[in-house]
mmCIF file of all heavy atoms in Angstrom:
data_model
loop_
_atom_site.group_PDB
_atom_site.id
_atom_site.type_symbol
_atom_site.label_atom_id
_atom_site.label_comp_id
_atom_site.label_asym_id
_atom_site.label_seq_id
_atom_site.Cartn_x
_atom_site.Cartn_y
_atom_site.Cartn_z
ATOM 1 N N MET A 3 -7.100 -1.092 -7.507
ATOM 2 C CA MET A 3 -5.897 -1.928 -7.090
ATOM 3 C C MET A 3 -4.822 -1.762 -8.217
ATOM 4 O O MET A 3 -5.178 -1.759 -9.440
ATOM 5 C CB MET A 3 -6.296 -3.347 -6.966
ATOM 6 C CG MET A 3 -7.298 -3.612 -5.826
ATOM 7 S SD MET A 3 -7.584 -5.374 -5.666
ATOM 8 C CE MET A 3 -8.515 -5.388 -4.180
ATOM 9 N N ALA A 4 -3.590 -1.693 -7.808
ATOM 10 C CA ALA A 4 -2.476 -1.543 -8.768
ATOM 11 C C ALA A 4 -1.253 -2.277 -8.276
ATOM 12 O O ALA A 4 -1.017 -2.383 -7.045
ATOM 13 C CB ALA A 4 -2.163 -0.099 -8.996
ATOM 14 N N ILE A 5 -0.469 -2.711 -9.130
ATOM 15 C CA ILE A 5 0.815 -3.330 -8.942
ATOM 16 C C ILE A 5 1.906 -2.529 -9.580
ATOM 17 O O ILE A 5 1.699 -2.240 -10.806
ATOM 18 C CB ILE A 5 0.902 -4.965 -9.405
ATOM 19 C CG1 ILE A 5 -0.060 -5.772 -8.515
ATOM 20 C CG2 ILE A 5 2.339 -5.423 -9.336
ATOM 21 C CD1 ILE A 5 -0.028 -7.211 -9.063
ATOM 22 N N THR A 6 2.868 -2.231 -8.783
ATOM 23 C CA THR A 6 4.103 -1.471 -9.434
ATOM 24 C C THR A 6 5.418 -2.172 -9.033
ATOM 25 O O THR A 6 5.453 -2.834 -7.910
ATOM 26 C CB THR A 6 4.070 -0.050 -8.868
ATOM 27 O OG1 THR A 6 3.985 -0.158 -7.482
ATOM 28 C CG2 THR A 6 2.830 0.740 -9.402
ATOM 29 N N PRO A 7 6.347 -2.088 -9.919
ATOM 30 C CA PRO A 7 7.637 -2.586 -9.559
ATOM 31 C C PRO A 7 8.195 -2.050 -8.262
ATOM 32 O O PRO A 7 8.178 -0.812 -8.036
ATOM 33 C CB PRO A 7 8.478 -2.219 -10.753
ATOM 34 C CG PRO A 7 7.559 -2.059 -11.929
ATOM 35 C CD PRO A 7 6.425 -1.439 -11.245
ATOM 36 N N SER A 8 8.754 -2.774 -7.425
ATOM 37 C CA SER A 8 9.315 -2.380 -6.146
ATOM 38 C C SER A 8 10.440 -3.351 -5.649
ATOM 39 O O SER A 8 10.222 -4.523 -5.903
ATOM 40 C CB SER A 8 8.231 -2.201 -5.152
ATOM 41 O OG SER A 8 8.737 -1.948 -3.805
ATOM 42 N N VAL A 9 11.404 -2.760 -4.982
ATOM 43 C CA VAL A 9 12.356 -3.593 -4.335
ATOM 44 C C VAL A 9 11.901 -4.215 -3.029
ATOM 45 O O VAL A 9 12.107 -5.366 -2.611
ATOM 46 C CB VAL A 9 13.765 -2.914 -4.182
ATOM 47 C CG1 VAL A 9 14.768 -3.786 -3.405
ATOM 48 C CG2 VAL A 9 14.232 -2.489 -5.543
ATOM 49 N N ALA A 10 11.149 -3.384 -2.272
ATOM 50 C CA ALA A 10 10.825 -3.695 -0.878
ATOM 51 C C ALA A 10 9.504 -4.344 -0.736
ATOM 52 O O ALA A 10 9.220 -5.055 0.190
ATOM 53 C CB ALA A 10 10.755 -2.476 -0.034
ATOM 54 N N GLY A 11 8.578 -4.302 -1.797
ATOM 55 C CA GLY A 11 7.350 -4.973 -1.725
ATOM 56 C C GLY A 11 6.390 -4.164 -0.774
ATOM 57 O O GLY A 11 6.521 -2.932 -0.707
ATOM 58 N N GLY A 12 5.502 -4.866 -0.042
ATOM 59 C CA GLY A 12 4.685 -4.196 0.815
ATOM 60 C C GLY A 12 3.291 -3.757 0.208
ATOM 61 O O GLY A 12 3.087 -3.985 -1.076
ATOM 62 N N THR A 13 2.354 -3.253 0.948
ATOM 63 C CA THR A 13 1.052 -2.988 0.555
ATOM 64 C C THR A 13 0.641 -1.526 1.152
ATOM 65 O O THR A 13 0.957 -1.340 2.347
ATOM 66 C CB THR A 13 0.021 -3.936 0.994
ATOM 67 O OG1 THR A 13 0.344 -5.192 0.401
ATOM 68 C CG2 THR A 13 -1.465 -3.484 0.529
ATOM 69 N N THR A 14 0.088 -0.655 0.303
ATOM 70 C CA THR A 14 -0.498 0.537 0.780
ATOM 71 C C THR A 14 -2.050 0.649 0.523
ATOM 72 O O THR A 14 -2.522 0.358 -0.532
ATOM 73 C CB THR A 14 0.105 1.762 0.015
ATOM 74 O OG1 THR A 14 1.538 1.725 0.127
ATOM 75 C CG2 THR A 14 -0.402 3.139 0.412
ATOM 76 N N VAL A 15 -2.742 0.885 1.610
ATOM 77 C CA VAL A 15 -4.219 0.920 1.515
ATOM 78 C C VAL A 15 -4.519 2.411 1.803
ATOM 79 O O VAL A 15 -4.436 2.951 2.899
ATOM 80 C CB VAL A 15 -4.901 0.034 2.608
ATOM 81 C CG1 VAL A 15 -6.425 0.274 2.538
ATOM 82 C CG2 VAL A 15 -4.479 -1.370 2.524
ATOM 83 N N SER A 16 -4.862 3.126 0.761
ATOM 84 C CA SER A 16 -5.261 4.556 0.747
ATOM 85 C C SER A 16 -6.700 4.801 0.971
ATOM 86 O O SER A 16 -7.582 4.080 0.347
ATOM 87 C CB SER A 16 -4.783 5.213 -0.509
ATOM 88 O OG SER A 16 -3.378 5.085 -0.752
ATOM 89 N N ILE A 17 -7.003 5.650 1.991
ATOM 90 C CA ILE A 17 -8.452 5.928 2.364
ATOM 91 C C ILE A 17 -8.684 7.359 2.306
ATOM 92 O O ILE A 17 -8.683 8.009 3.366
ATOM 93 C CB ILE A 17 -8.666 5.314 3.723
ATOM 94 C CG1 ILE A 17 -8.192 3.907 3.904
ATOM 95 C CG2 ILE A 17 -10.278 5.294 3.989
ATOM 96 C CD1 ILE A 17 -8.229 3.342 5.301
ATOM 97 N N PRO A 18 -8.637 7.991 1.071
ATOM 98 C CA PRO A 18 -8.892 9.456 1.103
ATOM 99 C C PRO A 18 -10.193 9.845 1.586
ATOM 100 O O PRO A 18 -11.234 9.160 1.256
ATOM 101 C CB PRO A 18 -8.679 9.671 -0.433
ATOM 102 C CG PRO A 18 -9.039 8.395 -1.148
ATOM 103 C CD PRO A 18 -8.603 7.285 -0.155
ATOM 104 N N PRO A 19 -10.332 11.005 2.301
ATOM 105 C CA PRO A 19 -9.207 11.930 2.630
ATOM 106 C C PRO A 19 -8.589 11.636 3.968
ATOM 107 O O PRO A 19 -7.933 12.516 4.539
ATOM 108 C CB PRO A 19 -9.928 13.247 2.560
ATOM 109 C CG PRO A 19 -11.273 12.899 3.090
ATOM 110 C CD PRO A 19 -11.582 11.508 2.628
ATOM 111 N N LEU A 20 -8.800 10.433 4.505
ATOM 112 C CA LEU A 20 -8.436 10.176 5.878
ATOM 113 C C LEU A 20 -6.959 9.911 5.973
ATOM 114 O O LEU A 20 -6.418 10.109 7.105
ATOM 115 C CB LEU A 20 -9.293 9.076 6.457
ATOM 116 C CG LEU A 20 -10.751 9.234 6.346
ATOM 117 C CD1 LEU A 20 -11.532 8.045 6.749
ATOM 118 C CD2 LEU A 20 -11.226 10.395 7.187
ATOM 119 N N GLY A 21 -6.424 9.240 5.023
ATOM 120 C CA GLY A 21 -4.967 8.914 5.196
ATOM 121 C C GLY A 21 -4.675 7.536 4.446
ATOM 122 O O GLY A 21 -5.349 7.160 3.607
ATOM 123 N N ALA A 22 -3.616 6.892 4.967
ATOM 124 C CA ALA A 22 -3.180 5.608 4.326
ATOM 125 C C ALA A 22 -2.606 4.715 5.379
ATOM 126 O O ALA A 22 -2.009 5.189 6.353
ATOM 127 C CB ALA A 22 -2.222 5.881 3.202
ATOM 128 N N LEU A 23 -2.768 3.333 5.134
ATOM 129 C CA LEU A 23 -2.086 2.423 5.942
ATOM 130 C C LEU A 23 -1.024 1.734 5.171
ATOM 131 O O LEU A 23 -1.239 1.241 4.120
ATOM 132 C CB LEU A 23 -3.173 1.341 6.464
ATOM 133 C CG LEU A 23 -4.224 1.742 7.356
ATOM 134 C CD1 LEU A 23 -5.177 0.748 7.558
ATOM 135 C CD2 LEU A 23 -3.710 2.245 8.745
ATOM 136 N N GLN A 24 0.199 1.647 5.839
ATOM 137 C CA GLN A 24 1.265 0.953 5.206
ATOM 138 C C GLN A 24 1.432 -0.411 5.859
ATOM 139 O O GLN A 24 1.633 -0.412 7.048
ATOM 140 C CB GLN A 24 2.601 1.817 5.353
ATOM 141 C CG GLN A 24 2.530 3.204 4.721
ATOM 142 C CD GLN A 24 2.378 3.252 3.271
ATOM 143 O OE1 GLN A 24 2.678 2.310 2.552
ATOM 144 N NE2 GLN A 24 1.837 4.428 2.663
ATOM 145 N N LEU A 25 1.456 -1.492 5.008
ATOM 146 C CA LEU A 25 1.577 -2.802 5.643
ATOM 147 C C LEU A 25 2.794 -3.510 5.047
ATOM 148 O O LEU A 25 3.029 -3.433 3.809
ATOM 149 C CB LEU A 25 0.314 -3.524 5.302
ATOM 150 C CG LEU A 25 -1.059 -3.056 5.600
ATOM 151 C CD1 LEU A 25 -2.128 -3.955 5.109
ATOM 152 C CD2 LEU A 25 -1.095 -2.781 7.120
ATOM 153 N N ASP A 26 3.585 -4.070 5.901
ATOM 154 C CA ASP A 26 4.697 -4.896 5.498
ATOM 155 C C ASP A 26 4.141 -6.382 5.147
ATOM 156 O O ASP A 26 4.514 -7.231 5.788
ATOM 157 C CB ASP A 26 5.836 -4.910 6.519
ATOM 158 C CG ASP A 26 7.084 -5.623 6.110
ATOM 159 O OD1 ASP A 26 7.222 -5.779 4.907
ATOM 160 O OD2 ASP A 26 7.826 -6.014 7.019
ATOM 161 N N SER A 27 3.442 -6.452 4.158
ATOM 162 C CA SER A 27 2.658 -7.613 3.911
ATOM 163 C C SER A 27 3.421 -8.679 3.126
ATOM 164 O O SER A 27 3.112 -9.856 3.271
ATOM 165 C CB SER A 27 1.368 -7.280 2.950
ATOM 166 O OG SER A 27 1.825 -6.649 1.774
ATOM 167 N N HIS A 28 4.499 -8.360 2.312
ATOM 168 C CA HIS A 28 5.282 -9.307 1.632
ATOM 169 C C HIS A 28 6.464 -8.665 1.127
ATOM 170 O O HIS A 28 6.780 -7.402 1.207
ATOM 171 C CB HIS A 28 4.447 -9.771 0.428
ATOM 172 C CG HIS A 28 4.155 -8.714 -0.595
ATOM 173 N ND1 HIS A 28 3.022 -7.823 -0.442
ATOM 174 C CD2 HIS A 28 4.848 -8.233 -1.700
ATOM 175 C CE1 HIS A 28 2.980 -7.050 -1.475
ATOM 176 N NE2 HIS A 28 4.127 -7.221 -2.195
#
């Protein structure tokens, strides 16, 4: 798990090697 500075927020759930889910969580 990691937090990075961002203007838009949101969450990325990465499931290698299958892909990633982008969530407009916050």
Side-chain angles (χ1 to χ4, degrees):
M3 295 184 173
I5 291 179
T6 54
S8 171
V9 176
T13 299
T14 300
V15 181
S16 299
I17 315 169
L20 306 176
L23 294 177
Q24 304 291 339
L25 306 176
D26 185 18
S27 58
H28 63 275

